[in-house]
Amino acid sequence: MSEDVSVASGLNCPIPFEATDRVQLGHGSGGKLSASLLRERFLPHLSNPALDQLADAAVVSLGGEDIAISTASFVVSPLEFPGGNIGSLAVHGTVNDLAMMGAKPQFLSAGFVLEEGLPFDLLDRVIRAMAESARAAEVLLVAGDTKVVERGKADGLFINTAGIGRLGSSFRPVPENAKPGDVVLVSGPIARHGMAIMAVREGIAFEAPIESDSAALYPLVERLEQSVGADVHVLRDPTRGGVASALNEIAAASTVGVVLDEGSIPVPGPVAGACEMLGLDPLYVANEGVLVAFVSEGMESRALEALKAHPLGRDATRIGRVVDEHPGFVVLHTGIGGRRIVDLLPGDQLPRIC
Amino acid sequence: MSEDVSVASGLNCPIPFEATDRVQLGHGSGGKLSASLLRERFLPHLSNPALDQLADAAVVSLGGEDIAISTASFVVSPLEFPGGNIGSLAVHGTVNDLAMMGAKPQFLSAGFVLEEGLPFDLLDRVIRAMAESARAAEVLLVAGDTKVVERGKADGLFINTAGIGRLGSSFRPVPENAKPGDVVLVSGPIARHGMAIMAVREGIAFEAPIESDSAALYPLVERLEQSVGADVHVLRDPTRGGVASALNEIAAASTVGVVLDEGSIPVPGPVAGACEMLGLDPLYVANEGVLVAFVSEGMESRALEALKAHPLGRDATRIGRVVDEHPGFVVLHTGIGGRRIVDLLPGDQLPRIC
């Protein structure tokens, strides 16, 4: 790529606020600070082949069978939002991480940290949403734990879920598997979850409220597997950090370039409006019910057909392709013929979005 | 049992502070309020056969093999204490829950909620302790997640771990399996973890500080399995709520009575002194490296020998027995010939002990 583009990416420019000895909000962003926290604080002590995969879920062998294991903690604020609450999100987040490895989610555990004074009616709504989401995702919540901390020592309620999924023997999408020529598909309109949260937080009212897309994605994965199988090279649910961060991670892991066509990226009108109002780029806004799929070029129409056959994927579309050039970089071709680097953000666009 | 003993247990006496519409600290105690939270808030929505086992870990079938799944969130305060920190505790707590089902711990996930401003040097010590504890327990930490919340929205650092263990086909201790005639063994001196935490919290200095017993217990379980096998009927690590709560849960699950011999319960001198100073009963104080085993009467000496062959079990001893009488109740025979009910506490003796 040309030199000025490279400079604009800022990859070689040290970020001053990294030079600190304490955790910052940005370390939870899913961007560069998150990556450095993982690289500098966790991996030096905890490195092992399964953890080092750094995929959405770890793949390990147990009793001769391969399984996927994933975990996530949920600290979303507010706890309830249009389209869901922290309970449904905690189920969807973890089953989706399993699904992105091609695994069928089987079992979940749930750990709760409750703040003294949390109203039971709120807790009831959260638990009910978890139960409904687990049933819909055909996953069993089999183990749980609850701790309580004093008033002011947590923010209402945090939930951790961990999940176990079964892997078939041949369908193994991984972030390292993107290949030049692949098409990049999204299963639906982006940036809805993040903007649903932000609209509540900022008190923005729209004629129709923006609903989170939070949903379990395995049904889409199953259809992709059945229709194009191993021609699905990479799957990712672009949560924290949005589509931009997910594509950057895949470009880096596969050492390929990704080119996005701005005009083809589906952003619902109200979401685009809210993003503009708040100065946010929808490419960096979290999704909780959308997947990105890298698929062999010749399989584009079959893959899109498979996605569109399910309600969650009815607006599936191609947004870009994989190229040999600028390995590790995502480049957006804009409507007016320009292009710009879509980099990992250093820190936080939207804290506590999940 | 006699009527006055039954009344003293208070089982039929409604507890006024349960009549509230909000979460209280006592709901995290491991006592009666914890049980009611689970029964009234979680199980009505989430009930399924695996979760309803309500054991230390759920046993489920995956690909034809039985596995154990467990989770726990850790909110201990302070984060560091003599004998460990929240990191080592988060490993030991979950691998021990697996071990108590007879499962060999294999894999762990870890989810972190970090408070903005947490010093990195503290985080480093926590992660290092996790790594060392996982290595010692021969368990692989394969999946992780980190979230960050604003200053004042968490108390430094919370960790959730979930674990997966492999089960053999025949060794299946469960809380429902205690039988009249069984002897009740403990693997070592009790109440050390809770009093180590309390001593730091209350600023009590002893000549030799009380160290937490926090440790991975699978090596003891393995030895018990090898020496007496299916004659081990129940295993439990008496954490929150201590030995008293664990025995109450087992007595209720197995519909048997438990008789404890006060004089045989091993409480280290400094621990007993600290308990007296703070008005705490060591039977209710948390342990993190002690197990309780219910074993067929004829196997007592072989089981004790197996435990004593490992450093963690060198002070193993018999503390009681299982009886037909007073099913569901634990009765302590005191040194002076009296007896008293050892009931579940309603609420909290020691909040945030793990």
Side-chain angles (χ1 to χ4, degrees), chain A residues 32 58 101 109 119 314 327:
Chain A
K32 283 183 194 176
M101 304 303 291
S109 67
R314 64 169 180 268

Side-chain angles (χ1 to χ4, degrees), chain B residues 26 60 62 71 73 128 131 159 230 234 242 303 312-313:
Chain B
V60 297
L62 185 71
T71 192
S73 294
R128 201 176 312 124
I159 302 178
V234 185
L312 276 178

